[in-house]
Amino acid sequence: MDEQTQKKTLTSLENHARGVVEGKAKEEAGRVLIRMKDRFSTLFNHDSESMPRVWTGKEDIRSITKTAHSAALKLLSVMAAIRLDDNVDNIENTLCSALLDTKGIASVTKWGSTTSDPLASSTWDKVPPNKILITPVQCKILWRQYRAETEYCVTQAISAQEANKRSNNWLPPPWAIVALIILGFNEFLTLLRNPLYVGIIFVGYLMLKALWVQLDISGEFSHGVLPGIISLSTKFIPTIMSLLKKLAEEGQAAANNNPQSTNGSASKSLPNSTSPLLTASSTVTSSANGTKEE
């Protein structure tokens, strides 16, 4: 192949390659909104290790949202024009200053006039018109639509974070704790003078805690207030009866075990005694043994 034919062939191949790349770029430019939303969703809903993000209340939603928006805007700037010749342009800087920077959206001077909108144009600076895939005006429209469609994800994350904080915060506010301490000082002194009340309160606390665990109150009310009340009303009486039955069985078992150990120690210490206490102990032991044999 002579040199002229070789140059002609290489030029034809280069033009064909450029045509293929430009055709694919134009095709993808028509789907840039979908790509931007996918990019936002990937960065917003997954952490740096690509694990699904759980909104526990410690995450900085504002910072995460800004990072995801910046990545989506970077994608838009890449798809805005064809850059096969490595020409330098300022598309990304223009989009960031006009769309991400709130001061650049509508900056107002001290005289009340607004600066010109950098996106109010149909061409990009330093970019030939035949290389433009998305005009500045179209970028602005796409960004508005993108923000409207991704706002729901941000709102859902904020709601999930607030719900998680409420579910983990069982204590009343500090002012309520101080008020309880001040107003309940007399009741506290009453408890100190009557330790029996402390025992009653402790037993009541154990019963309530057992009911809470058995009924799974937090899980029932997670489906709604009315369904939770209906479900608890059907489970309350059987749960109470089950707890009382367990207490009765444990009390009966303790009553059967304690007399045997007491009688054994008494018989060792007083082998030849004929006191009424020994007689009663023997009677209880024999009755307990009879019951055990039965």
Side-chain angles (χ1 to χ4, degrees), residues 11 42 157 182 184:
T11 302
T42 300
I182 295 174

Side-chain angles (χ1 to χ4, degrees), residues 258-273:
N258 289 335
Q260 296 178 4
S261 60
T262 304
N263 296 335
S265 60
S267 60
K268 291 181 180 179
S269 60
L270 299 172
N272 299 322
S273 176

Side-chain angles (χ1 to χ4, degrees), residues 2-15:
D2 56 4
E3 185 177 356
Q4 183 178 2
T5 305
Q6 184 179 0
K7 289 182 179 180
K8 184 178 180 180
T9 303
L10 291 176
T11 302
S12 177
L13 287 174
E14 182 179 355
N15 292 334

Side-chain angles (χ1 to χ4, degrees), residues 15 44-45 94 102 111 117 138 153 165 186 201 237 253 285 290:
N15 292 334
F44 186 78
N45 295 322
T94 302
T102 56
W111 300 103
D117 188 358
Q138 291 174 338
C153 295
K165 288 181 179 179
N186 294 332
I201 293 174
I237 299 300
T285 304

Side-chain angles (χ1 to χ4, degrees), residues 81-95:
I82 297 175
R83 303 174 180 84
L84 295 179
D85 298 325
D86 295 331
N87 294 329
V88 180
D89 57 65
N90 58 352
I91 295 178
E92 183 177 357
N93 295 332
T94 302
L95 289 176

Side-chain angles (χ1 to χ4, degrees), residues 223-279:
H223 304 290
V225 178
L226 184 59
I229 294 175
I230 295 174
S231 178
L232 290 177
S233 62
T234 58
K235 294 166 58 176
F236 183 75
I237 299 300
T239 303
I240 291 291
M241 298 301 296
S242 177
L243 289 176
L244 293 177
K245 184 178 179 181
K246 290 181 180 179
L247 289 175
E249 291 176 354
E250 292 179 359
Q252 185 67 29
N256 291 335
N257 294 330
N258 289 335
Q260 296 178 4
S261 60
T262 304
N263 296 335
S265 60
S267 60
K268 291 181 180 179
S269 60
L270 299 172
N272 299 322
S273 176
T274 57
S275 63
L277 179 60
L278 182 60
T279 305

